[in-house]
Amino acid sequence: MRVHWHRSDIRASDNQGLAAAAESEDEGEGEALPVFVFDPDVMDHGSPPRMAFLLDALASLRETYRERGSDLLVTRGDPAEELPRLVAEYDAAGVTWNQDYSGLAVERDRRVREALADADSEYETFHDAVHHEPGSITTNNGDPYSVFSYFGEKWLDREKEDPYPEPDGDDLAEVETGAEGTNELPTLEELGFTEPDSDLPDAGTEAARERLESFCAEDIYEYGERRDFPAEERTSRLSQDIHYGTIGVREVYERTAEAMQEADSEEAEESVEAYQEELAWSEFFTQVLYYNPNVVHENYRGFENGIEWREDEAELDAWKAGETGYPIVDAGMRQLQRESYMHNRLRMIVASFLTKDLMLDWRAGYDHFRTRLVDHDTGNDNGGWQWAGSTGTDAQPYFRVFNPMKQGSDYDAECEYITEYVPELDGVDPEVIHSWHELDEAEREDHAPDYPAPIVDHDERREEAIAMYERARGEDEDDD
Ligand SMILES: Cc1cc2nc3c(=O)[nH]c(=O)nc-3n(C[C@H](O)[C@H](O)[C@H](O)COP(=O)(O)OP(=O)(O)OC[C@H]3O[C@@H](n4cnc5c(N)ncnc54)[C@H](O)[C@@H]3O)c2cc1C
């Protein structure tokens, strides 16, 4: 018997580590004993929406195991103590797990390896959360890529593995209820979290499969053209599933490859490839994080003088609350509040607004996203923020400052998305909404008395932000 330690792979299907545990040729039967450990160190970085989603996903996984005559063994504590204890208690031959790539996870895994070796237990780890593990797609010199384009091309060209088989009842160990570890899941409260105040997506493999199927049946063929229009909701909404591993990356890719086969035009094929390229972006940021664990706290790029970010609690609070007086920014921030999710175009807009219009440190935005997003993923979130703040790998050049009014009129011309999340503007003419920054007080009062005036002047702040970056780069404004 092998313990399979579930972490960011909350599923039984297409799970490399679990399949290996189930197929191991140990004396007696090859069986997997599925385990989840609530690690206080990981809980410290949790948030109500993410913990709620995780608990629901675990409940769904436990149900899958119970249907097969097994169970999910759940314990709380330091995995470096819990896993050797479970190995001894169940007389298991070893432990399998799938690798995570953040600095924290790498350090925890090092400690667990040591503890298992000390306990004379075998262990085996797998690259399961990505198709191509960090270090497998490199420059010709063998260095990790620091820009996406070549990484993306190679990622798309490489062959992908098929999904791993799901263990059946015979491949799974029976879990003794009432053993020292308990297979009851703790409540949010017991874990120290409050109920989330947002509407979360359904958790679990079945829910993830439904999202994948519905996306691949239709929207994937227009993803390339329509993904940037938030009111149309044409994206896959799989980010929390991919992050928590409620669905395997091979299963997702296989379904997109089938969609490619079924595409009936060149545009449709290009659109499927545009989607696959987004999956590659996620693996690109995973390898950036793996090789640069400090990006969580530090700029990826060095700046000669450091960036003199402003500090302004009132502006930060207005941004968080969706009360900046820039309708498209506020709609994005309120979607985040209401759903613990935000459309990608909006993430770019609000992140640009925080770093360039408010000139506030990207870390303040990242921290807010980390606590609010159900799909918070260290690599992707950090990659997105450092891109917007012009401090990252393939970052937006510092002098490119999103114009929030133009973004609003380009991507939400009829203000369907804006009015969905900013009801104070419901019924107001879209042209008025897109020119909110130009209205005087009386006009604003007349059209939407409850909606705030813009808290900053975009054109002025744009100039100031460019000057801030130029000082950081050691350039005089006059040099341009
Ligand atoms: C400031 C900022 C913060 C972000 N934070 C996160 C985060 O915490 N977690 C997260 O998964 N994504 C993050 N993203 C990337 C992207 O916004 C989300 O992945 C996407 O909006 C999720 O919706 P979806 O699943 O419908 O995406 P789809 O468009 O359907 O994309 C499919 C999948 O590809 C991956 N993906 C898509 N776009 C990106 C991208 N730009 N970078 C990396 N991977 C991508 C995700 O896994 C996503 O689920 C962030 C982007 C920005 C600009």
Side-chain angles (χ1 to χ4, degrees):
M1 176 202 289
R2 305 251 153 179
V3 168
H4 177 69
W5 177 26
H6 282 282
R7 298 115 57 90
S8 302
D9 57 331
I10 315 293
R11 66 184 184 282
S13 53
D14 186 23
N15 185 324
Q16 192 177 173
L18 177 70
E23 286 162 11
S24 59
E25 306 271 310
D26 296 328
E27 226 177 285
E29 293 144 79
E31 281 185 335
L33 171 66
V35 167
F36 187 86
V37 183
F38 282 93
D39 176 351
D41 281 352
V42 176
M43 297 298 112
D44 279 352
H45 293 85
S47 67
R50 280 187 281 129
M51 283 304 126
F53 186 85
L54 173 68
L55 282 178
D56 285 353
L58 288 170
S60 164
L61 178 63
R62 183 180 59 177
E63 210 38 51
T64 303
Y65 285 133
R66 286 183 175 174
E67 281 162 11
R68 288 164 176 66
S70 184
D71 211 334
L72 177 69
L73 189 68
V74 177
T75 76
R76 278 169 82 171
D78 179 354
E81 291 171 13
E82 288 303 294
L83 291 162
R85 181 180 71 73
L86 291 169
V87 165
E89 194 174 315
Y90 286 87
D91 199 19
V95 183
T96 60
W97 71 84
N98 296 318
Q99 293 201 19
D100 287 335
Y101 302 98
S102 72
L104 253 173
V106 168
E107 170 54 19
R108 176 196 55 197
D109 291 359
R110 188 195 58 71
R111 289 195 309 105
V112 171
R113 281 193 178 91
E114 243 173 55
L116 289 169
D118 287 348
D120 284 332
S121 167
E122 293 177 17
Y123 58 80
E124 202 176 352
T125 68
F126 299 88
H127 291 287
D128 168 88
V130 287
H131 291 278
H132 308 296
E133 72 259 28
S136 63
I137 296 184
T138 61
T139 64
N140 292 341
N141 295 333
D143 296 324
Y145 277 107
S146 57
V147 287
F148 175 74
S149 50
Y150 288 119
F151 177 95
E153 267 174 37
K154 287 186 180 174
W155 190 96
L156 286 169
D157 277 352
R158 295 261 168 108
E159 213 169 302
K160 305 286 179 283
E161 274 185 306
D162 291 335
Y164 285 86
E166 181 164 347
D168 59 24
D170 293 342
D171 299 325
L172 296 166
E174 279 180 34
V175 174
E176 295 162 39
T177 316
E180 207 180 310
T182 159
N183 48 5
E184 283 314 311
L185 285 167
T187 62
L188 263 180
E189 201 182 352
E190 282 163 354
L191 292 172
F193 295 94
T194 52
E195 284 292 328
D197 54 4
S198 50
D199 300 330
L200 300 179
D202 290 342
T205 303
E206 207 179 309
R209 281 186 176 146
E210 276 172 23
R211 284 188 273 275
L212 175 66
E213 196 42 53
S214 122
F215 175 69
C216 287
E218 213 175 310
D219 287 338
I220 197 169
Y221 298 117
E222 294 190 30
Y223 179 81
E225 287 281 308
R226 307 308 304 169
R227 67 179 147 171
D228 271 322
F229 298 90
E232 295 186 18
E233 299 184 28
R234 298 292 193 102
T235 66
S236 69
R237 294 298 295 258
L238 281 171
S239 45
Q240 65 287 322
D241 307 305
I242 293 173
H243 173 73
Y244 282 104
T246 50
I247 195 161
V249 293
R250 290 151 298 270
E251 184 172 338
V252 172
Y253 190 86
E254 186 181 58
R255 184 62 188 88
T256 68
E258 276 169 29
M260 183 70 96
Q261 294 296 320
E262 289 158 18
D264 60 9
S265 68
E266 213 173 294
E267 291 80 51
E269 284 177 7
E270 281 168 8
S271 183
V272 175
E273 188 168 297
Y275 182 74
Q276 292 172 334
E277 195 172 280
E278 293 306 324
L279 303 174
W281 264 107
S282 181
E283 294 199 11
F284 173 68
F285 285 137
T286 297
Q287 59 108 44
V288 169
L289 177 66
Y290 181 71
Y291 287 111
N292 310 274
N294 292 344
V295 289
V296 178
H297 309 291
E298 292 169 13
N299 295 336
Y300 176 87
R301 279 164 193 245
F303 284 83
E304 205 169 307
N305 301 322
I307 304 173
E308 297 160 354
W309 301 108
R310 291 177 63 252
E311 282 183 28
D312 191 321
E313 282 301 315
E315 286 184 9
L316 179 60
D317 287 348
W319 177 81
K320 285 182 185 172
E323 299 275 348
T324 67
Y326 282 90
I328 192 77
V329 173
D330 293 340
M333 295 307 292
R334 296 200 205 174
Q335 182 180 27
L336 180 63
Q337 255 172 40
R338 203 192 288 178
E339 298 168 18
S340 291
Y341 173 86
M342 198 194 296
H343 184 277
N344 180 60
R345 170 63 41 187
L346 274 298
R347 295 188 203 208
M348 296 195 290
I349 295 172
V350 306
S352 174
F353 191 82
L354 184 90
T355 52
K356 309 266 171 82
D357 287 80
L358 303 185
M359 297 162 67
L360 299 176
D361 194 330
W362 62 264
R363 280 159 278 229
Y366 173 75
D367 273 351
H368 184 65
F369 269 33
R370 189 170 57 79
T371 51
R372 292 299 311 181
L373 279 174
V374 67
D375 67 10
H376 164 70
D377 175 278
T378 310
N380 291 349
D381 210 355
N382 188 270
W385 274 101
Q386 296 229 34
W387 176 86
S390 300
T391 60
T393 49
D394 267 19
Q396 173 90 318
Y398 73 92
F399 48 81
R400 286 264 165 75
V401 178
F402 272 13
N403 178 328
M405 290 76 76
K406 185 164 182 331
Q407 291 288 320
S409 54
D410 282 357
Y411 295 107
D412 191 31
E414 295 305 316
C415 296
E416 290 158 282
Y417 176 82
I418 290 173
T419 50
E420 163 81 29
Y421 294 99
V422 185
E424 303 96 293
L425 293 171
D426 208 8
V428 179
D429 186 326
E431 273 186 36
V432 172
I433 296 179
H434 293 310
S435 53
W436 190 252
H437 60 292
E438 290 169 351
L439 305 186
D440 62 29
E441 199 178 334
E443 287 169 322
R444 284 196 304 269
E445 185 67 22
D446 189 34
H447 288 294
D450 296 330
Y451 186 65
I455 58 168
V456 292
D457 181 305
H458 169 72
D459 294 334
E460 278 172 21
R461 283 293 176 88
R462 179 181 174 280
E463 296 302 315
E464 286 178 41
I466 291 173
M468 171 182 83
Y469 281 101
E470 286 180 344
R471 283 194 303 279
R473 292 160 60 90
E475 290 168 15
D476 278 326
E477 269 177 85
D478 299 337
D479 288 352
D480 245 17

